[in-house]
Amino acid sequence: MGSASKLYLLVSLVACFVILASAAGNFYRDMDITWGDGRGKILNNGQLLTLSLDKPSGSGFQSKNEYLFGKIDMQIKLVPGNSAGTVTAYYLSSQGPTHDEIDFEFLGNLSGDPYTLHTNVFSQGKGNREQQFHLWFDPTADFHTYSIVWNPQRIIFSVDGTPIREFENSEKLGVPFPKNKPMRIYSSLWNADDWATRGGLVKTDWSHAPFTASYRNFNANACVASSKTASSCASKSRASPNNAWFSQDLDSANQKRMRWVQKNYMIYNYCTDKKRFPQGIPPECATAKFS
């Protein structure tokens, strides 16, 4: 059986899927605020969503749809000022003890210090694939676009169109890759001052509460889980130029841009942490594209 046939069979066995065309997002249509007792709000006729955190509680939302592969974009403006101790999490995740997950997490800071952008990939319940970055701009001054491309070959994390990380499918090396479980989009703003800022040394200053993060321009060009259609995600994606993400990789120009980010702004890479992995670094690290 050829690779295209195997991929078609894989997606058909998981579920039935239909491609959603890329369209302007509306938070009333696309998201549910799931917790926070009113601290999460949808505003401006569905064009803006805000999450807030105070001492009693944070808040969060999730997508109405589940996705299996896609290109997901969200513009976020992070908590300004002294955000030490807070975490703004934005991620894809399935459910259950062997869940898959693709993470952006923004770890707060003291005023004037850079945010830490934390990334991770979980497959079959196992993560431990962290890379962390400082950003080359102030993510609290304006909205910036945080994107995930997820296809059967790789996961690409991007900021304002600049790739910062690529996690390739290394199943041939025995490394699980998230490809079988549909995932929802989640975001939350919560207090993690036991670890988030300088390993928990800097605590949340509640005199600055409420802390607020803002979201706009959500877009999912993706395969959406559905029981109402027999359309195949794989065949539709292969046929449509609008779904180029389904086979997207990094060309030489984008590999160069990613190396620039990693050289200048990466502050932690699990693939170089030999103390953490005394028996040898994870096998996918040998083929990863690092500077």
Side-chain angles (χ1 to χ4, degrees):
M1 183 182 292
S3 59
S5 299
K6 289 179 181 177
L7 183 57
Y8 182 95
L9 179 61
L10 166 66
V11 177
S12 299
L13 287 173
V14 173
C16 294
F17 290 86
V18 61
I19 296 297
L20 280 187
S22 179
N26 183 286
F27 288 116
Y28 284 123
R29 181 191 67 209
D30 298 323
M31 302 293 174
D32 291 317
I33 294 176
T34 50
W35 64 283
D37 194 22
R39 292 173 178 82
K41 301 180 185 299
I42 297 176
L43 307 166
N44 298 355
N45 297 316
Q47 300 305 301
L48 180 70
L49 189 154
T50 62
L51 296 180
S52 65
L53 163 69
D54 55 25
K55 196 166 187 178
S57 178
S59 51
F61 65 85
Q62 69 180 44
S63 60
K64 295 179 186 293
N65 289 320
E66 293 183 299
Y67 305 94
L68 183 68
F69 307 130
K71 183 178 186 294
I72 311 294
D73 303 308
M74 182 76 82
Q75 289 192 333
I76 307 174
K77 183 163 66 173
L78 296 175
V79 174
N82 182 356
S83 58
T86 71
V87 173
T88 305
Y90 168 62
Y91 59 102
L92 292 165
S93 183
S94 64
Q95 297 298 306
T98 59
H99 75 292
D100 296 339
E101 188 170 317
I102 304 170
D103 290 344
F104 278 113
E105 288 187 293
F106 304 91
L107 312 185
N109 61 357
L110 288 170
S111 298
D113 291 341
Y115 258 81
T116 295
L117 170 52
H118 176 99
T119 66
N120 203 355
V121 177
F122 287 74
S123 186
Q124 299 181 14
K126 183 180 179 182
N128 300 323
R129 299 183 177 104
E130 302 92 342
Q131 289 182 7
Q132 294 184 339
F133 305 82
H134 286 156
L135 294 169
W136 51 96
F137 53 83
D138 178 358
T140 74
D142 203 350
F143 288 89
H144 292 268
T145 303
Y146 302 92
S147 304
I148 294 168
V149 169
W150 170 36
N151 63 39
Q153 295 82 36
R154 60 187 45 82
I155 297 162
I156 302 170
F157 297 79
S158 297
V159 178
D160 290 337
T162 295
I164 65 170
R165 177 178 184 180
E166 179 183 25
F167 183 82
E168 293 188 293
N169 185 332
S170 298
E171 289 178 305
K172 62 185 178 183
L173 302 177
V175 179
F177 185 83
K179 66 178 186 182
N180 298 321
K181 300 169 186 171
M183 296 195 269
R184 292 187 193 274
I185 298 163
Y186 296 87
S187 189
S188 58
L189 176 57
W190 52 290
N191 180 45
D193 66 3
D194 57 333
W195 65 271
T197 306
R198 294 182 59 197
L201 293 177
V202 183
K203 302 300 182 182
T204 304
D205 183 348
W206 294 110
S207 69
H208 294 275
F211 304 98
T212 301
S214 303
Y215 303 75
R216 72 181 187 189
N217 291 343
F218 165 72
N219 189 71
N221 188 4
C223 309
V224 178
S226 172
S227 59
K228 298 178 182 179
T229 176
S231 298
S232 163
C233 170
S235 63
K236 291 283 186 180
S237 296
R238 286 159 56 83
S240 173
N242 293 327
N243 301 314
W245 54 263
F246 196 78
S247 58
Q248 182 175 339
D249 59 10
L250 295 179
D251 60 18
S252 58
N254 277 306
Q255 287 187 33
K256 184 177 180 180
R257 294 168 73 194
M258 183 175 70
R259 288 194 297 268
W260 173 81
V261 172
Q262 293 177 350
K263 179 180 179 180
N264 292 284
Y265 297 100
M266 180 183 282
I267 58 172
Y268 177 79
N269 179 6
Y270 78 109
C271 279
T272 61
D273 192 345
K274 295 181 180 179
K275 290 183 179 179
R276 184 179 178 187
F277 302 104
Q279 304 304 316
I281 61 173
E284 70 271 17
C285 295
T287 57
K289 299 180 179 70
F290 300 123
S291 57

